[in-house]
Amino acid sequence: MALPKERIYTTEDIYNLPEGTRAELIDGRIYYMAPPSRQHQDICFSLSRKIADYIDSKHGSCKVYPAPFAVFLNEDDANYFEPDISVICNPSKLDDRGCNGAPDWIIEVVSPSNPMNDYILKLYKYQSAGVREYWIIDSGNQTVTIYDFENQVLAQRFTFSDTISPGIYDDFSIDFSQLNI
């Protein structure tokens, strides 16, 4: 007997989900997302604010977009991401639907329901699409894993007591011990 064929979904299927349903689409497969915890939101808000304040202080052109914000990494209909934080420095990638192409910096806060998505699937997708830097924040273990693809520095691990400098900015650092999380 033949095995049933797995359905391949598209971004149209994502947009047709019931109102309020959060999901991502990776290689035609839908991954539903649980509502974020309060701590998850505290981390995202604190980091978004710090990054945006830095960019504003430098009169920079980059923009910070916290989730939900659509990222279409490739020009295909089989991938749709909602990173927790996206930093986009090229305004031509932005339209009313979201970001078309790779953001410069993506931050994901690990979801307890599907950590392998952040550590494996998204890691591969973000790197191959040209994301310059990718941070994975694991609040349960209080660690930050950094992939600086642009400078070919992979898997640097920090703790919530460290001060961390993103590779895409020369004079910016985030003291995780001072974040309100």
Side-chain angles (χ1 to χ4, degrees):
M1 173 178 358
L3 293 174
K5 185 176 180 184
E6 185 176 317
R7 179 171 177 200
I8 302 297
Y9 293 93
T10 67
T11 53
E12 183 179 342
D13 295 306
I14 290 289
Y15 281 104
N16 287 328
L17 290 172
E19 183 77 27
T21 302
R22 290 201 51 220
E24 292 181 307
L25 183 68
I26 304 174
D27 294 330
R29 183 170 178 201
I30 293 178
Y31 293 87
Y32 292 95
M33 297 186 295
S37 69
R38 182 188 57 79
Q39 183 183 37
H40 181 281
Q41 292 299 86
D42 284 344
I43 291 168
C44 290
F45 178 77
S46 292
L47 287 173
S48 294
R49 184 178 63 212
K50 278 256 189 241
I51 296 164
D53 287 349
Y54 168 78
I55 292 168
D56 289 347
S57 76
K58 297 294 185 178
H59 307 287
S61 61
C62 300
K63 298 283 188 179
V64 180
Y65 293 96
F69 180 75
V71 171
F72 305 93
L73 289 177
N74 307 310
E75 292 187 29
D76 65 28
D77 212 22
N79 291 283
Y80 167 96
F81 296 86
E82 285 189 5
D84 290 315
I85 301 171
S86 301
V87 177
I88 296 111
C89 300
N90 181 346
S92 70
K93 291 183 179 180
L94 298 169
D95 64 20
D96 286 341
R97 289 182 48 193
C99 178
N100 298 291
D104 294 270
W105 181 12
I106 289 179
I107 299 173
E108 293 280 10
V109 178
V110 173
S111 170
S113 63
N114 59 359
M116 289 304 106
N117 279 4
D118 296 322
Y119 284 105
I120 297 173
L121 283 174
K122 291 180 184 179
L123 171 66
Y124 170 74
K125 289 301 214 180
Y126 293 160
Q127 182 180 22
S128 61
V131 171
R132 294 168 59 195
E133 189 160 345
Y134 176 41
W135 288 20
I136 303 172
I137 299 175
D138 186 334
S139 60
N141 292 316
Q142 295 197 334
T143 59
V144 180
T145 305
I146 296 179
Y147 297 88
D148 182 352
F149 302 129
E150 182 175 57
N151 295 305
Q152 299 177 351
V153 178
L154 300 179
Q156 287 184 296
R157 183 163 274 179
F158 299 90
T159 69
F160 279 22
S161 61
D162 290 323
T163 299
I164 305 170
S165 297
I168 69 168
Y169 296 115
D170 293 330
D171 61 345
F172 176 52
S173 61
I174 299 170
D175 184 348
F176 270 75
S177 69
Q178 297 299 310
L179 288 180
N180 203 9
I181 52 177

